[in-house]
Structure formats: structure tokens, C-alpha cells
Amino acid sequence: MSGVGEVASVIAIIQISKEVVTLCAKYYSGVKNAKKDRERLCEEVLVLVGVLEKVHESVMNQKAGSSSVLDGSHIRKCLTELEAIKNKLDPGVNANRGLMRRLKLRSLAWPFTGKEAEEEISRLQGRKLTFSLALAADTKAGVESLEQSQNIARLPNPDGAAFNSFRRQHESQCLPDTRVDLLRQIMEWSANSGDQCIFWLNGMAGTGKSTIARTIAGKLEGQKRLGGSFFFSSGEGDLANATKFIGTLAAQLAGMSPVLKRHISDAIAEHPDVVHNSLRNQWEQLILRPIKMLKSQDLPVSDLVIVVDALDECGSQDDVRVIIQLLSEAKTLKGIRLRTLVTSRPEDSIQVCFRALPKGVHQDLALHTVPQTVIHHDISVFLQKELEKIRTDHDLPPDWPGPRNIELLVRKANGLFIYAATACRFIGDAKWLPEERLTLVFQGDSAGKSPTRKLDEIYTQVLKHSVIGDDCDEREKIKLCLRFRQIVGSIVILFEPLTPTGLAELLQVEPRAHAVALKSLHSILDISQNQNSPVRLLHPSFRDFLLDEERCSDPQFFVDKEVAHKEVTERCLRLLSKNLRRNVCNLHTPGALTSELSRSTVEHHFPAAVRYACLYWCDHLQQSKAGLCDDNGPLHKFLQAHFLHWLEAIALLGEMSRGLRMITDLQTLLRKQGKQTELLAMVDDAKQFLLTNRAVIAKAPLQTYASALVFSPKTSVIKKQFSHLLPLWIKHLPAVEQDWSPSVQTMEGHAGWMWLIEFSPDGQYLATASRDRVIKIWDTKTGKLQSTLEGHLGVIWWVKFSPDNQHIATAADDCTVRLWDAKTGTLESTLEGHSGTIWGLAYSPDGRRLASAADDRTVKIWNAKSGTLERTLKDHSAGAWWVTFSPDGQTIASASDDRRISIWDANTGALLRTLEGHLDWLWAVVLSPDGQQLATASRDGTVNIWDTGTGVLQNTLEGHSGGVRSVAFSPDGQSLVSVSDATIRLWDAKTGELQNTLKGHSDQIWSVAFSPDGQHLASASKDGTVKMWDTKTGALQDTLHGHSDCVRLVVFSPDRQHLVSASDDRTVKLWDVKTREVQGTLEGQAGGVHSVVFSPDRHRVASATDCMIKLWDTKTGELQAAMEGHSDFIWSVVFSPDGLRLASTSDDRTVRLWDAQDGSLDCVLDDHSAGVLSVAFSPNGMHLASASRDCTVKLWDTATGSLQNTLEGHSAGVWSVAFSPDARHLASASRDGAVKIWDLSAGLPRASLEGSPVKRHHESRLPHIHRHRDDNDEKKPKPSQPPPPNDDGDDSPPDTTPRHSHPLLHRPHVHHHHHHHHHNDEKRAHKDEKPPALPRTATDTHLHLHLHRPHLHHKAQPPPEAETSAPPPFDLTTQIPPQFNTHNDDSNNPYSIDDSAQWIAWNTTNILHFPPDRKPNVHAFADSAGGELLLAVGHASGGVTVLAFDTEVDPVA
């Protein structure tokens, strides 16, 4: 409550409410109409009175102003509303008051209509709810505050960690008028709104880093911006390691605001053992997530700063690396900014960690770069203050020690504050006379020595005597020192040590001179007698000495770090230019694989120096900051001449991931220059070239010059630059896209199509599962395969990372759960106990438990660490297929085919409640982020939203015209998305109101995913595309093309930077969310190309997809015409002999004749009573023969379109026809096993060649067409290629829905008529009530768990043998030749498509690899004039690729 006025208003409301009740009672006794409305209004007012009396009592017991929840405006509005009700009910306010009294209320009418009464009751209910919630909140406030304090007290707080702790009270801060510029720079950074969330202050021991850190912490505390501080200290127990680092910072952060304290307390309550978890888990739960939940009004400042001192004194280098990475992730915070000041020595390991961070995340400042005048001034101020104390304590003359002596001390300190402080303590020792001690200091007595000075003096003396000697003249000294800086100066900056021979080769120094230069330096370098051992520094301090101009005061020996890096960079580029060339390892074929190369072969062609140059030239370039990055400079010229050679080398060395990082770093370096250059344009294109082709180059390095160049887009800088390296055996290149696709990674490796992808919680890794029964773990930054998990004996349905990223759990239809080490990929344990396929898997939020749901109708709870079974939950009457924990880990929800959701107590296993309400199967289940709501989607076309605490059905969302396959909550839980067929609907999760309907996909949507910030929605569809939507407006933002088959799953990475999609084309693509753009591609519609045919003149290719025919120009690859008209699957496309017309057949029972020049329709031949499967022109083109499922062959006049004859005699569908060369005979082949030869003059069969009835239409219905199938095609019918005609003559379009589509998104349906499951489903075919499923979708990177099923199909399906048995070949020798314009397996044609349909082969040797989006679905060869061989390839995307080969050129010569 805000004051006394609101208290009085509460009393007034209670009084008026009672009067309203009294008036209602009079109406109740006096009139008979609207009885129900009177009773309800009276009841609501009475309930409101009860609530308000409790509010009044609560407020009177609290201090004034302590009620922070109640809003006075609600009280005043309630008072106004009740007064209005009273006035309307009181007849005394009416003009006819006297009349009503005389009538004694007998004619008094109820003053509210039914609608008005409902509105008043609704308002009263709203006020009651508001007051009840406010009362509950105020009552709980005191208890919650106590609980929060108790939770925070559980966090560690080691003594001495904080800058202002008791033990540090005597440690000094910077004196006034010292470190002025440095302190100002750090404070300005701390308040800057840029992305540099880390300030790394580094310097040698004794340079004053800790003093600066304490000073900054003090300033920030005064501004109420200090989030926390932690001062590491070697040898000081808890301060010497990271065990209590994050917990200590969280305890300090909790004191910043009550709201932040509550969020951190909640995290501790949810995860009681969080302080014992991994550093990452602690950081996310105790720091990052609580700050993300803050609103701007929750803190008095908009930014918080953490101070971390002496990070190099944290015991574990691994912990240091993790800490730096975690601190950099504060960049992702958008509302309240979090920054960290880190101080440390410039240790190599720490430098590596900071170099590994994304550019722009941190700002560095090395104390040795601060101007000496500033350092001298600051040390002088310090000395004057300390010596003044000594003078006073020892009663010395006022002029002691004098300006001259202070200046001498400043110079002797040489920039080290630790030297000045040590000298003052030495001089001020009470047992000695200060004057004498000062003299000793000036004499350099060992008692008062400066450690670094003495060390520097030693290094200097060694170099003077070892490098120069005593008998060298000035000219020789200059030469020797120059050679020293060249050789030893390079050694100290190398990223990897080299042998003496390797060093000489890299530096291009004569080996003997190199050996002489190193010979006398054994006192500072580790030089083995073994020439194969690398040269190393004996101690890293020598590196610090040489690279620090202040310490290495002799310019003869000082090594300028940037100059040294520049020189090494130039030498690397020169060495590579000399050694790299095309096919450096002398491989014999363009398709030679790296896996076939021996390590010795690679090492022979890549000696140590060349290997080093390949891997580190970019690292040296980054450190040089020199003018090597100008257009037409050394780097530009190197890349123009040798970029592809370098890519080949990187692939041969097995370092493609490093190569990608190098190009990325170079791109970042060039972009920092802030100007667009030719070099930057080339590097931008080079990165896309590498990202797109890395898989094939890594597999077959020489495809760098073949597949990678051939299929790169027209505008590619790399393609233009290296066009002279294109294969000479390709006479005409295929038509390609104008520019690059926005996909940034394509991950290949599975042998089967992928249906499952899962991010690790930290977003660093990606797990994929496929029909091949293995799990692959990928690095999301580099796309590199990290490990392959093998061991399951069945199809894998689930992959789940533990919350701390350390373990992976997998479940399969072998009835087991397996636990793996996420880092090494080793199997830790196998959990056995289920007797059915495991469809669901979930970790508890703290990672201590694992829940599994299975076909055996049970849910099992396991100890995730030991693998022991804790309990089994039994209640479901059908197979359980989904399970999840609530966010607090206290409850478990499971879903089953019995159409119910069961809620369990996670600790006791007790069944708490059951949610029922759908009229059909559940297809998707998802828990809201806060665990308060549960959404279920069903085949009945509705979505139900439930209260998980009470089990009450809150809303039923209706509007979809079909079953709802997918449902997902937005990250903030405010919105809900549901998917049915090709439509997406966005709902308000609280009110159930429809917000937007998103339409744009042309086929079934399989997956949807909210971006982590909830602003975008991604959808994956059977149409092969991924679409990005604006969740606020519902507008379509982008369509991402790139997959060549149905896209099953889409997931955002936790860092919001990437989007991952998985497709039936066996690839996973990683898209850059920021740079996505619609690219021009050669694609048709969603259906794959299943037929291609050349025109007789070879100038055009016709391709057929589901219901469309397309004409392409074979020279340019351009689409000339798209012919639409068929309403069902197109089986056959044939050119007329003169190439002017085109005939097509379809399951729509028609034959269509088209103009092959412009694509216009000439006529429709429609006399068949079933689908038409084949068509053939007579040799003169005057007649057309068509074969149909209706068991007949029909002859047509092509000029008029009239039917001339119907040939009957087959007892089953006819699937092929062909004319004899003289057009007097016709051959037809049928499913009845017979080939009949017809005399066309009589219309009767001349001969019948009998065979066995075939159970399947030939895969290659036209003899000249090759179709390509993957290993699982017999188990997964393609959407674009329906099953063949059935023996029963069924004319209906066959069901082409993929059986095992993405199991995370849906479950294979149960066919009730003759359906046979594929793959592992055969063994479950009799269990129609348990369709296999996977309970998970793309939105669940952390909390959301979904399951989706396809529609149920009731159509009869062909038996398994119909999917696998092959027909007899259609070969009638010379009587009935194959199509005249093409050839396939002609012995004179050395070119072919390999069995995997991934390569073009020449005499069985692979020479050209197909990119994933161009993998052949069907192909045809044809001869052409000029010695060319044409190849047309149809793709699943609907596109066609045409290549022309020069038959006079040997591809492997």
C-alpha cells in the first residue's frame, strides 16, 4: 500500500460491498427474473469482501509503505466500480422512486441485462484475483527475504578474495597524481557501451598491476558499479585456484540489488550443489542467467564491473582458459552489461587464451608499453612519499635524501614499482641507518638488488661475450648482431619450436652460418646434439628480456617483436611460394583420397619448415601489424598465386579446421582496417570457398581444382583468379549460382539420412544421429568432427548433453541407454532395464538424474553418475514416448500413446496428476520455460495448454484444419507456436488468442524453432527450405536455400549466432543468422528430378519432377520453359525425333504433347482409364504409343491427337513401349511378366515373350535414364518418386510420406491396411498401437521438449518385396532398340556416375565430386557434335546440371 489514503479506500470498498450484497438480497426476494445473475453477482461480491478484509488486516500489520505489490489505482478503480453497481441497484436513485415504493417493489425489474451482469461479474473476478495475488506476495515477502539470505550464505567467501577484505586493509592503492592516464583509460573502458567486455592489463612481476586493480575496484565501489572482485594469490589455499572463484563473485553480486539477490538465490535453490559443479555451469547459473533476467530498473546502474587480479596465479592453466572464455561470454548480455578487468603476467598460456577469443571481445594494455616518462613520474612520487616517512621516523635533515638521489633511485628502478618498494623497505629498516643503506643501494649491493636488473645484466653479459666477443671490430659486430637478431629474434617469437635444420630453411639462412650463430648460446638456449631435436629457450624470461626494449637496453640485441613477426611472415610466404604447387604429393588421380596417403609420403613433401609456414604464417601476420596487407603487397600476391595450392597443402596435412581459422582471422584483421580492398574481397570469397568445399577438399585434396572450382558461383573471386586451373577435360562448365549461399558450414559424414541434432549447452559442440546407428560430435566453430560414438545395436532415437557439457546420454531401439564422456567419446556405462524401444530421454536440471521413457509403458529414473536405477514409474496403459523434468527438478512429466500426460514426483515417484482431454493421439508436448504450463498438440487439430501445478486445462487453441504436428513456447513463455501442414500459427500463451498466421512454405513443415531472444522463428519444411520469420509482425524475413532434400529439423545455437538445419540429403548446414540472404539458385520446385532426356540436337534437356516439366539450355544452364498441366506424378518424358515436340505421361491418366520450343501445350490425350507409365514416338514422329496401368497400349496420331488403335492383351499394367526402326512393330513390357511384339498393321500381337510376373515397375523406366538411390531408399520412399503401380491396378496416387521422417518432429504412422514398417520397424509391425517416435524438437536446446508425428495414412501400401525386387531388363536386342538419342553403359563411353552417386568417374576412376546440393537423382549421357560428351544430372532439389566433356582429353593424364 502506498499510504493512509489507500487504507481508507479499502475500508470504503468493504462497506460498499456489504451494501451491494444487501441490495442484491432485496432483489432476490422481491423479483423473480434473472435469478442466476443475481446469485452470481452476490456471490462474487461476498468473496471480494472476504479478500479485502484480509488485505486490510495484512496492511495494518505492516509498516507504512512496506506493501510493494498493491497498487492504489486498483483499489480506487474497484471502489468506483462498486459504487456504480450500488447506484444501479438502489431504486432510491431512480426518478420513479415514489412509484416503486407504492408498488412495494413488486414491479421492480433487475437493472442488468445478461451481458451487463456478465461484464460486472468478470470485473469483480479480476479485482479479486489482483488483490489475492498482492496479498499473497506481501505475505511471502518476509519469508522469501530470509530464504534468500540463507541461500546466499551457502556461497563461498574466502578471506582475502575481495579487494577490501580485512587481510588486505593495509595494501596500498595508487597515490594521487600517479597512474593518471592509465586509470582514466580503464575507467573510460568500464563505462563504454562497446563490445569489449574484458580489459586485460598485463605486465611483469613488480609493475604495479595489483595496486592498479585495487584502485580501480575502489573507484567502482564508490560509483556502485563494482559487481565483485577476486584477487588470486599463489600458495594461499582457496585463492590459489578457481574452486571458489565464481561462487565468491556471485555472493558479492547478490549485494548489488534485491532483485539480483533473488535471482541468484533461486538458482541456488534450484541447483543446491551448483558451487560444486563445473566452472561453466556455475557461471551460467549464478552469474550469466541472473543478470540476463534483470531489467533496467532493477539496478541503479546500467553496467557492472568485476575485477580479477593475478589470474596467472590461478593454479590450473585449464581453469584459466575456461575463465577467460566465460568472461568473454558476457558480451552476449544486452540489458545490463557485465565487464571484467583482468590483470596477469603476460604468460604464453594466457596470451594463447586471449588470442583464441573472437576479435573485438577484449582490450589489452601491457604495462611495459606505458611511456617511461609517466612511469618515472609515478615512481618518483611514490619514492618521495615513502622516503619522507623514513626521514620523519629517523629524524633526518629536511633535505634528505635530495632530488638527485631520488632521481637515481627512479632510474635504478627501471620501471618496476616492486623495485622502488623493496628499496624503500630496505632503506627504512629500523636496525640500520638510512643514509648507509641508501649508499648500498647505489653501489648495487646484493642485499638491495633488483632481481630483474641483475637478470638483465647477466643476459647482456652473456650476449656480449657469446655473440660479439672481445676481438671483433665495429663492422664485424654489426654483422654478428644482425645475424643474432635474425636467428635468435625469430626463435623467441615462434609459435612452435623447430629443429636447427628447420630454422635454417625457414629463415633462409645458410645452415653453417646458422649453426655457428647458435653454437655459443648454450647458456640461454636448449640446443641438443641431436639435429632432429627442436631448439628451445631455457627460460621464458629470456624472451621477455629480448622483446622488452627497456630491459634489453643494448640496441644491438633488442628484438622488435612486430618487426620480427613481419620478417617471419615474409619468410613463410617466400618459403611456401617456392615449395607449393598443384599436386605437390604427385597423386595419380583427381579423386585420390587423403585416407589412402601414408604419413611418410606427406612428411616427405612437407618438411618441418614448410609445414610450419603453412600453419602459422597468418599468426605471425596478425602479430606483425606491418604493411603486408596492402593491395598487390606480398600477401596479396601470394594468395593470387598460391591460395589453392595452400588449400591443397592444408588438406594433405589434415589441418582444414586450422586453415579455416586462419582465413577467418585474416578476414577479421583486414576488416579492422576499415576499408574495402581487393585483398579483403579476395579473402571474403576465399572464406566462402573454403566453407563450402572444405568437406570434399579434406577428403580429396585435388578436388580443390575440380569440384570446388567447377561448382563455385559465377562471381567468385577465387574462381576467376584460378580459372586457368579448371579441368581441361570439361569443355563446358555447368550453370551455377550467381553468388554464394549464406550457409557457413556443411557437415557431412553419416551413411544415412540424419534426423536428430543437439547442441551442447555451451554451444561449442553439435551432436548428430543418423540411421547408420552412430552419433557424431562436431565442433560448431570449425565444423570439424570431434568424435564418433559407436556401440548401439539399433537405431538411435535420442542424444542429450548433460547440463555441465561433460557427458552425453543416448537412447536407441536396442532398449538401452548409454552414457559417454563428451570430451573423449569413450563409453562410460550402459543402462539396461527397459524391455522396449526407448523413445524419450531427459537430464534433470542439475544433471544428477536421467529419465527414460520406453515402449514397455514405463518411465525409469537413473542416477546419471553411477548408472544405477533409482525407480520405475508405472501408470501408462500404452508405450511412453516423451519425458522431461520441471525446471526445478522436482517433478517429471511423461506422455504416452494412451493420450495422457502423467505428472510425477521426481523424488518419491508418486503420481501427482494426469492430464486428459484430447480426442486423438498426442503429436507434440512441450513444457514452458518456467515449468508452469504444458502445451500438448494432437491429431485432433487442437492445442491444449495446462497448468502443471493443478492439472487444470487453461486454454484450448483451435483453428488448424489438420492435426497439429509441432508446438513450442517462446523463450520468455509469453507466446506459443503451433504447426499443421504448411501453416504456422502464433498464439498468446496466457490468453490463447491467435496473434499471427504464417504462410509461405509450399509443403509440410517439419520443425520450428524460436531464436534465444524470441524475436525470430525458423521453420524447416519438406519443400527443402528454411524460412525466417519476425515473431512480432509475422513477416517473412528470409528463405534459406541450400539443401537438396526435405529439411527435417532446425535449431538455433545458444549464442544466437547460428542456425542449424538437418535434411534428408544427409547433411547438416550451419547458417550465419546475421548475414543470411536469399541467393539465386538453379532449382525448380520441391520435388526431385526423376527423369531427364536430351533433345536430339543436344541443345536442350527436359527434366521431370512430380507434376512439372522443365526445359534447360545445355550450354548456359538457363531455364527456358516450365510446363505445368499434369495433376499427378509424371512418369515419362520423350522428345520427338525432330526435337520440336515433347510427350509426357502421368498418373493423371493423360498423355500431353508440348511445343518443345516455347513449352506451350499442344494437346491432351486422355483415353486411358488409369495412370500412363510410358510413351514413345514412332521413328518418323507421326505416331505416339502410350502404355498404362489399365493393361493397354494406345496408338495416337501426333498431328491431330486422335486415337488410332487400342492394343489389348496384357493382364497387368504396361510399363514400357518401343517402336521398331521401321515403325511396323511395337514392343510392350508389362507387370504380367510378358513382352509382346505387335504388328501395327493388324493391331494384333505377333509374338509374346513370357517371363515371371514382376512385382515392381522398373526403377529406370526409360532405358537411357539412370536413377540413383541411397542405401536406404528401399526403406524410405522419396517424396518425389512414389512407389510403382500396384498389382491390383489401384489408380490412386501412392502414399509418399516418408515413413521415418525426423523422429524428433513426428512419429511414423500406423498403417491399418497392409502396411509394413521399414528398417527396424518390421519387428514391430504387429504393434499397431505403438508407432515409433522420438520426443524432441528443435526448440529444445535447454528446456523445451517436443514430439511430433505425421498424419496417419489409411491407404494400402505395397508389401516390402515390392520395394526391393527388381524387374527383368527391357532388352529386345535389335528388334526394339533403346532410345536413340542417348547411351548409358556404352563401352565406348568412359564416363559414368559411381555407385554412391557422389562422383563422376572415368574408366571407374573418380574424377569429379558432386556437391551435396547437386547429388544426382537421375542422369543421362548423350553424344554431341565436336567430340563432346554431354551429361545431364537431375537433383532432388528440382535442378538440372549439364556438363560437356572433351573426349579427346585424358582426365587422369
Side-chain angles (χ1 to χ4, degrees), residues 190-220:
S190 72
N192 196 327
S193 60
D195 292 333
Q196 295 176 325
C197 58
I198 301 177
F199 193 110
W200 180 35
L201 181 68
N202 63 84
M204 292 180 57
T207 52
K209 300 184 298 295
S210 295
T211 303
I212 295 170
R214 285 191 295 271
T215 304
I216 293 294
K219 289 178 176 291
L220 293 169

Short mmCIF file of all heavy atoms in Angstrom, two decimals, residues 190-220:
data_model
loop_
_atom_site.label_atom_id
_atom_site.label_comp_id
_atom_site.label_asym_id
_atom_site.label_seq_id
_atom_site.Cartn_x
_atom_site.Cartn_y
_atom_site.Cartn_z
N SER A 190 35.41 0.95 -18.78
CA SER A 190 34.38 0.34 -17.94
C SER A 190 33.00 0.94 -18.19
O SER A 190 31.99 0.28 -17.95
CB SER A 190 34.74 0.48 -16.46
OG SER A 190 34.59 1.83 -16.02
N ALA A 191 32.97 2.18 -18.67
CA ALA A 191 31.67 2.84 -18.92
C ALA A 191 31.32 2.88 -20.39
O ALA A 191 30.26 3.39 -20.75
CB ALA A 191 31.72 4.27 -18.35
N ASN A 192 32.19 2.30 -21.23
CA ASN A 192 31.95 2.32 -22.67
C ASN A 192 30.86 1.33 -23.03
O ASN A 192 30.73 0.28 -22.41
CB ASN A 192 33.25 1.96 -23.40
CG ASN A 192 33.19 2.34 -24.87
OD1 ASN A 192 32.14 2.28 -25.47
ND2 ASN A 192 34.32 2.71 -25.42
N SER A 193 30.09 1.65 -24.05
CA SER A 193 28.99 0.77 -24.46
C SER A 193 29.41 -0.21 -25.55
O SER A 193 28.57 -0.88 -26.14
CB SER A 193 27.81 1.61 -24.96
OG SER A 193 28.20 2.40 -26.08
N GLY A 194 30.71 -0.28 -25.86
CA GLY A 194 31.18 -1.18 -26.90
C GLY A 194 31.14 -2.64 -26.49
O GLY A 194 30.68 -3.00 -25.41
N ASP A 195 31.68 -3.49 -27.38
CA ASP A 195 31.61 -4.94 -27.18
C ASP A 195 32.81 -5.49 -26.40
O ASP A 195 32.86 -6.69 -26.14
CB ASP A 195 31.52 -5.66 -28.53
CG ASP A 195 30.20 -5.40 -29.22
OD1 ASP A 195 29.21 -5.13 -28.52
OD2 ASP A 195 30.16 -5.47 -30.46
N GLN A 196 33.79 -4.66 -26.09
CA GLN A 196 34.98 -5.15 -25.40
C GLN A 196 34.66 -5.35 -23.93
O GLN A 196 34.78 -4.45 -23.11
CB GLN A 196 36.14 -4.18 -25.60
CG GLN A 196 36.59 -4.07 -27.05
CD GLN A 196 37.68 -3.03 -27.23
OE1 GLN A 196 37.68 -2.00 -26.57
NE2 GLN A 196 38.60 -3.29 -28.14
N CYS A 197 34.25 -6.56 -23.61
CA CYS A 197 33.79 -6.83 -22.24
C CYS A 197 34.92 -7.22 -21.30
O CYS A 197 34.69 -7.42 -20.11
CB CYS A 197 32.71 -7.92 -22.25
SG CYS A 197 33.24 -9.48 -22.97
N ILE A 198 36.14 -7.37 -21.81
CA ILE A 198 37.30 -7.68 -20.97
C ILE A 198 38.40 -6.66 -21.21
O ILE A 198 38.69 -6.33 -22.36
CB ILE A 198 37.85 -9.10 -21.26
CG1 ILE A 198 36.78 -10.17 -21.02
CG2 ILE A 198 39.07 -9.39 -20.40
CD1 ILE A 198 37.24 -11.57 -21.36
N PHE A 199 38.97 -6.17 -20.14
CA PHE A 199 40.16 -5.33 -20.22
C PHE A 199 41.29 -6.13 -19.58
O PHE A 199 41.27 -6.38 -18.38
CB PHE A 199 39.95 -4.00 -19.48
CG PHE A 199 41.02 -2.98 -19.78
CD1 PHE A 199 40.74 -1.86 -20.54
CD2 PHE A 199 42.32 -3.13 -19.29
CE1 PHE A 199 41.72 -0.92 -20.83
CE2 PHE A 199 43.30 -2.20 -19.57
CZ PHE A 199 43.00 -1.09 -20.33
N TRP A 200 42.26 -6.52 -20.42
CA TRP A 200 43.37 -7.33 -19.92
C TRP A 200 44.58 -6.43 -19.69
O TRP A 200 45.19 -5.94 -20.64
CB TRP A 200 43.69 -8.44 -20.90
CG TRP A 200 44.83 -9.33 -20.45
CD1 TRP A 200 45.12 -9.69 -19.17
CD2 TRP A 200 45.81 -9.94 -21.28
NE1 TRP A 200 46.22 -10.51 -19.15
CE2 TRP A 200 46.68 -10.68 -20.43
CE3 TRP A 200 46.05 -9.95 -22.65
CZ2 TRP A 200 47.75 -11.40 -20.91
CZ3 TRP A 200 47.11 -10.68 -23.14
CH2 TRP A 200 47.96 -11.40 -22.28
N LEU A 201 44.90 -6.22 -18.44
CA LEU A 201 46.06 -5.44 -18.05
C LEU A 201 47.18 -6.42 -17.70
O LEU A 201 47.07 -7.16 -16.73
CB LEU A 201 45.73 -4.55 -16.84
CG LEU A 201 46.86 -3.65 -16.33
CD1 LEU A 201 47.17 -2.57 -17.34
CD2 LEU A 201 46.47 -3.03 -14.99
N ASN A 202 48.21 -6.45 -18.51
CA ASN A 202 49.28 -7.42 -18.27
C ASN A 202 50.62 -6.73 -18.12
O ASN A 202 50.86 -5.66 -18.69
CB ASN A 202 49.33 -8.47 -19.38
CG ASN A 202 49.65 -7.87 -20.73
OD1 ASN A 202 50.81 -7.68 -21.06
ND2 ASN A 202 48.63 -7.58 -21.53
N GLY A 203 51.47 -7.34 -17.33
CA GLY A 203 52.79 -6.79 -17.11
C GLY A 203 53.62 -7.74 -16.28
O GLY A 203 53.09 -8.65 -15.63
N MET A 204 54.92 -7.53 -16.27
CA MET A 204 55.81 -8.39 -15.49
C MET A 204 55.57 -8.21 -14.00
O MET A 204 54.95 -7.24 -13.56
CB MET A 204 57.27 -8.06 -15.82
CG MET A 204 57.67 -8.43 -17.25
SD MET A 204 59.39 -7.99 -17.53
CE MET A 204 60.18 -8.94 -16.20
N ALA A 205 56.11 -9.14 -13.25
CA ALA A 205 56.02 -9.04 -11.79
C ALA A 205 56.66 -7.73 -11.34
O ALA A 205 57.75 -7.37 -11.81
CB ALA A 205 56.71 -10.23 -11.14
N GLY A 206 55.97 -7.05 -10.46
CA GLY A 206 56.54 -5.83 -9.91
C GLY A 206 56.18 -4.57 -10.66
O GLY A 206 56.66 -3.48 -10.32
N THR A 207 55.33 -4.67 -11.65
CA THR A 207 54.96 -3.48 -12.43
C THR A 207 53.75 -2.75 -11.87
O THR A 207 53.30 -1.77 -12.46
CB THR A 207 54.71 -3.85 -13.90
OG1 THR A 207 53.76 -4.92 -13.94
CG2 THR A 207 56.00 -4.28 -14.57
N GLY A 208 53.18 -3.22 -10.78
CA GLY A 208 52.10 -2.50 -10.11
C GLY A 208 50.70 -2.88 -10.53
O GLY A 208 49.75 -2.13 -10.32
N LYS A 209 50.54 -4.08 -11.07
CA LYS A 209 49.22 -4.50 -11.55
C LYS A 209 48.20 -4.59 -10.42
O LYS A 209 47.06 -4.13 -10.54
CB LYS A 209 49.32 -5.86 -12.26
CG LYS A 209 50.25 -5.87 -13.45
CD LYS A 209 50.25 -7.21 -14.16
CE LYS A 209 50.73 -8.33 -13.25
NZ LYS A 209 52.14 -8.18 -12.85
N SER A 210 48.57 -5.21 -9.30
CA SER A 210 47.64 -5.39 -8.19
C SER A 210 47.24 -4.05 -7.58
O SER A 210 46.08 -3.85 -7.18
CB SER A 210 48.26 -6.29 -7.12
OG SER A 210 48.46 -7.60 -7.62
N THR A 211 48.18 -3.13 -7.49
CA THR A 211 47.85 -1.79 -6.96
C THR A 211 46.84 -1.10 -7.85
O THR A 211 45.89 -0.47 -7.37
CB THR A 211 49.13 -0.95 -6.85
OG1 THR A 211 50.08 -1.63 -6.03
CG2 THR A 211 48.83 0.41 -6.25
N ILE A 212 47.03 -1.22 -9.15
CA ILE A 212 46.06 -0.64 -10.09
C ILE A 212 44.70 -1.31 -9.93
O ILE A 212 43.66 -0.63 -9.92
CB ILE A 212 46.58 -0.79 -11.53
CG1 ILE A 212 47.85 0.04 -11.72
CG2 ILE A 212 45.52 -0.37 -12.54
CD1 ILE A 212 48.57 -0.24 -13.03
N ALA A 213 44.69 -2.63 -9.78
CA ALA A 213 43.42 -3.36 -9.64
C ALA A 213 42.68 -2.91 -8.38
O ALA A 213 41.45 -2.70 -8.41
CB ALA A 213 43.68 -4.85 -9.60
N ARG A 214 43.40 -2.75 -7.27
CA ARG A 214 42.74 -2.30 -6.03
C ARG A 214 42.19 -0.88 -6.20
O ARG A 214 41.11 -0.55 -5.70
CB ARG A 214 43.72 -2.36 -4.87
CG ARG A 214 44.01 -3.76 -4.36
CD ARG A 214 44.77 -3.73 -3.04
NE ARG A 214 46.11 -3.15 -3.20
CZ ARG A 214 47.19 -3.85 -3.52
NH1 ARG A 214 47.08 -5.16 -3.73
NH2 ARG A 214 48.37 -3.26 -3.62
N THR A 215 42.94 -0.05 -6.89
CA THR A 215 42.50 1.34 -7.09
C THR A 215 41.23 1.40 -7.94
O THR A 215 40.28 2.11 -7.60
CB THR A 215 43.62 2.15 -7.76
OG1 THR A 215 44.80 2.06 -6.98
CG2 THR A 215 43.21 3.61 -7.90
N ILE A 216 41.22 0.63 -9.03
CA ILE A 216 40.03 0.60 -9.89
C ILE A 216 38.84 0.03 -9.12
O ILE A 216 37.71 0.57 -9.21
CB ILE A 216 40.30 -0.25 -11.15
CG1 ILE A 216 41.35 0.44 -12.03
CG2 ILE A 216 39.01 -0.50 -11.92
CD1 ILE A 216 40.90 1.74 -12.64
N ALA A 217 39.06 -1.02 -8.35
CA ALA A 217 37.96 -1.61 -7.57
C ALA A 217 37.40 -0.59 -6.60
O ALA A 217 36.17 -0.50 -6.42
CB ALA A 217 38.45 -2.86 -6.84
N GLY A 218 38.26 0.19 -5.96
CA GLY A 218 37.80 1.21 -5.03
C GLY A 218 36.97 2.27 -5.72
O GLY A 218 35.94 2.72 -5.20
N LYS A 219 37.43 2.72 -6.88
CA LYS A 219 36.67 3.72 -7.63
C LYS A 219 35.30 3.19 -8.05
O LYS A 219 34.28 3.89 -7.95
CB LYS A 219 37.46 4.16 -8.87
CG LYS A 219 38.70 5.01 -8.59
CD LYS A 219 39.42 5.35 -9.88
CE LYS A 219 40.61 6.28 -9.63
NZ LYS A 219 40.17 7.63 -9.21
N LEU A 220 35.26 1.95 -8.54
CA LEU A 220 33.99 1.36 -8.98
C LEU A 220 33.04 1.16 -7.81
O LEU A 220 31.82 1.36 -7.94
CB LEU A 220 34.25 0.02 -9.67
CG LEU A 220 34.99 0.10 -11.02
CD1 LEU A 220 35.42 -1.31 -11.47
CD2 LEU A 220 34.10 0.75 -12.08
#
